[in-house]
């Protein structure tokens, strides 16, 4: 089995900038700079045949190239605890369109529907045991975060290996978007 997800890779310069948002938050595990990405579709553990089918399907995706601008920061929470901190994405119809194409494509390749709305973001940190009140400073400090748009000419298929020190990602395939 291989744990897969489809993502937009974030350019090195922007990953560096995002790394600058790191702060002192108890319980936060900050994503390593090389791992920062924008997930389009988490696929989870799939067997080799399913991975081949996904690769074949994704290689046929056509969607226009686009620009993505990161803007703002936010958090996911459940039961009063912060689960993740993220950088947001400016509203973007082309990105929604691309994600819909990816969703349709992976479903045609046999994946079950994800069953929740796409909420584009770049995860900056995952948190354990962090109360929402502990991130007020982070949210206030970075509410004005905004980065220039970056071009998206391809989407990538990554595998993820969960280790003690966090996940290791490997780019398994790149699917260029047509001109
Ligand atoms: P860790 O799970 O060890 O904290 P990670 O979340 O970076 O590491 P994965 O769990 O393999 O590694 O996730 C890969 C990508 O897919 C990440 O962007 C993650 O946020 C996203 N992801 C993981 N699980 C889901 C899910 N159930 N639904 C949507 N996206 C998910
Ligand atoms: Mg995870």
């Amino acid at each position: 089995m291989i744990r897969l997800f489809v993502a937009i890779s974030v350019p090195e310069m922007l990953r560096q900038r995002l790394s600058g948002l790191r702060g002192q938050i108890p319980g936060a595990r900050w994503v390593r700079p090389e791992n920062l990405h924008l997930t389009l579709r988490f696929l989870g553990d799939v067997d080799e045949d399913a991975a081949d089918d996904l690769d074949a399907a994704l290689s046929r995706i056509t969607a226009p190239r686009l620009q993505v601008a990161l803007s703002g920061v936010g958090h996911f929470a459940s039961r009063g605890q912060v689960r993740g901190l993220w950088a947001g994405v400016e509203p973007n119809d082309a990105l929604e369109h691309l994600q819909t194409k990816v969703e349709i494509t992976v479903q045609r390749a046999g994946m079950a529907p994800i069953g929740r709305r796409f909420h584009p973001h770049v995860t900056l940190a995952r948190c354990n045991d962090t109360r929402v009140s502990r991130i007020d400073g982070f949210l206030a400090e970075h509410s004005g975060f905004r980065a220039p748009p970056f071009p998206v000419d391809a989407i990538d298929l990554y595998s993820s290996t969960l280790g003690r020190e966090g996940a290791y990602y490997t780019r398994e395939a790149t699917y260029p978007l047509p001109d």
Side-chain angles (χ1 to χ4, degrees):
M1 297 285 258
I2 181 167
R3 185 177 176 94
L4 295 175
F5 62 99
V6 179
I8 289 174
S9 299
V10 174
E12 156 82 22
M13 285 267 286
L14 185 50
R15 283 189 272 120
Q16 280 181 25
R17 244 200 100 188
L18 290 168
S19 302
L21 300 177
R22 283 167 179 242
Q24 296 296 325
I25 296 174
R29 289 173 290 121
W30 295 89
V31 175
R32 287 192 298 278
E34 66 270 24
N35 274 2
L36 292 163
H37 65 274
L38 194 169
T39 300
L40 290 170
R41 179 49 144 98
F42 179 69
L43 298 162
D45 286 320
V46 303
D47 66 27
E48 220 169 282
D49 285 346
D52 287 343
D53 292 347
L54 283 164
D55 175 53
L58 289 166
S59 68
R60 287 193 293 269
I61 278 201
T62 56
R65 294 180 176 186
L66 64 153
Q67 306 258 338
V68 169
L70 301 186
S71 158
V73 294
H75 71 287
F76 292 127
S78 65
R79 285 178 263 114
Q81 298 275 325
V82 181
R83 303 298 165 192
L85 301 175
W86 41 260
V89 177
E90 296 254 298
N92 189 325
D93 287 343
L95 178 61
E96 299 286 335
H97 174 75
L98 174 62
Q99 196 275 335
T100 301
K101 280 241 161 149
V102 170
E103 184 59 37
I104 290 167
T105 300
V106 302
Q107 285 185 29
R108 277 205 198 116
M111 300 298 297
I114 197 95
R116 58 161 118 147
R117 238 191 90 67
F118 177 51
H119 181 292
H121 63 277
V122 176
T123 297
L124 302 172
R126 296 192 171 73
C127 299
N128 282 327
D129 213 28
T130 302
R131 262 173 291 130
V132 176
S133 58
R134 305 306 288 268
I135 63 166
D136 289 346
F138 170 85
L139 296 176
E141 188 180 349
H142 300 300
S143 64
F145 170 77
R146 196 179 186 296
F150 67 92
V152 178
D153 301 337
I155 59 176
D156 295 317
L157 180 66
Y158 284 92
S159 64
S160 166
T161 310
L162 301 179
R164 203 171 300 183
E165 310 284 309
Y168 287 88
Y169 302 148
T170 304
R171 192 180 302 170
E172 300 287 349
T174 292
Y175 311 104
L177 301 173
D179 281 317

